[in-house]
Amino acid sequence: MSDKIIIETAGKTAVTGGSALAGGAVGAALGTLIFPGVGTALGYLFGTGGGVAGGWKLTKKWFR
């Protein structure tokens, strides 16, 4: 594997992981405001999914 591919893969993983964490945190906070307990869990799941999708889309744009 070339160094460029390794660095690109690490960058994509870091951005997507960070986006997932941020999305999960925002989703959990909103879920807690709406319906504490169950809303927290569901908000985290949906937020994480949205964060992963957003991070993946962002890295596709950056790493062409």
Side-chain angles (χ1 to χ4, degrees), residues 11-40:
K12 286 180 180 181
T13 303
V15 170
T16 303
S19 297
L21 287 173
V26 170
L30 291 175
T32 301
L33 288 173
I34 296 169
F35 190 67
V38 175
T40 305

Side-chain angles (χ1 to χ4, degrees), residues 4 8 12 56-64:
K4 182 180 178 185
E8 184 176 321
K12 286 180 180 181
W56 182 72
K57 188 174 182 179
L58 185 63
T59 58
K60 280 186 70 173
K61 185 177 180 181
W62 285 350
F63 297 101
R64 290 186 194 189

Side-chain angles (χ1 to χ4, degrees), residues 5 7-8 18 24 31 40 42-43 46 58:
I5 292 173
I7 292 171
E8 184 176 321
T40 305
L42 291 176
F46 284 110
L58 185 63

